[in-house]
Amino acid sequence: MEKTLSIIKPDAVAKNVVGKILNRFEEAGLKISATKKIRLSKIDAKKFYEVHKDRPFFNDLVDFMVSGPVVVTVLEGENAVSKNRELMGETDPKEAKPGTIRADFADSIDANAVHGSDSYENAKTEINFFFATKEIF
Ligand code: CMP
């Protein structure tokens, strides 16, 4: 069984669609091993997205991620990393397939409703960033 990290971003939390998004994970056979609502500090957001620090969108991304609470979730299941990415759809909602989370709930490439780990290795790092071992079931 594989684990991955999902973040429901401030835009989707503000739209009150947290339950609808979590339901999609469960309907697809992924289990919620841990979940919590938190507000990231600027330091947290910069550290989490460090890999993008030289990209032109970095400052806007950080500002957006601290603009309101987020819901961070550990998902578990067979091929959890790729399954979650399929459920999310493309980063830019304009390119996301109909029926994906971003097609249905995202407004723009910045306010794109969800983040999901892009590899098994990154999933481990991202899960450890938010959760202690004793919080994951
Ligand atoms: P996420 O999966 O959280 O990873 C990095 C985020 O940067 C991405 O979703 C987008 O919300 C945001 N972003 C803004 N512009 C771009 C871009 N041109 N390419 C990739 N990600 C972008």
Side-chain angles (χ1 to χ4, degrees), residues 84-98 100-103 106 108-109 112-114:
N84 180 37
R85 291 182 72 78
E86 267 172 46
L87 292 170
M88 289 193 301
E90 293 295 316
T91 306
D92 185 346
K94 285 192 284 241
E95 289 165 19
K97 280 195 202 133
T100 60
I101 294 169
R102 283 170 171 155
S108 66
I109 195 164
N112 67 348
V114 279

Side-chain angles (χ1 to χ4, degrees), residues 9 48-49 52 55 57 61 64-65 85 88 91 102 108-112 114-116:
K9 297 189 181 186
F48 183 79
Y49 280 118
H52 296 304
R55 307 286 292 274
F57 58 82
L61 172 63
F64 174 64
M65 291 303 288
R85 291 182 72 78
M88 289 193 301
T91 306
R102 283 170 171 155
S108 66
I109 195 164
D110 298 300
N112 67 348
V114 279
H115 165 83

Side-chain angles (χ1 to χ4, degrees), residues 1-2 4 24-31 75-89 100-101 117:
M1 282 296 166
E2 193 172 273
T4 190
R24 293 200 178 193
F25 300 141
E26 291 188 329
E27 288 289 315
L30 294 170
K31 254 181 51 186
L75 298 170
E76 185 186 41
E78 226 172 276
N79 302 315
V81 171
S82 61
K83 200 177 257 185
N84 180 37
R85 291 182 72 78
E86 267 172 46
L87 292 170
M88 289 193 301
T100 60
I101 294 169
S117 309

Side-chain angles (χ1 to χ4, degrees), residues 2-32:
E2 193 172 273
K3 289 189 177 70
T4 190
L5 183 88
S6 158
I7 305 178
I8 302 178
K9 297 189 181 186
D11 57 321
V13 173
K15 281 185 186 166
N16 211 21
V17 292
V18 170
K20 285 185 178 158
I21 292 174
L22 292 180
N23 186 246
R24 293 200 178 193
F25 300 141
E26 291 188 329
E27 288 289 315
L30 294 170
K31 254 181 51 186
I32 294 170

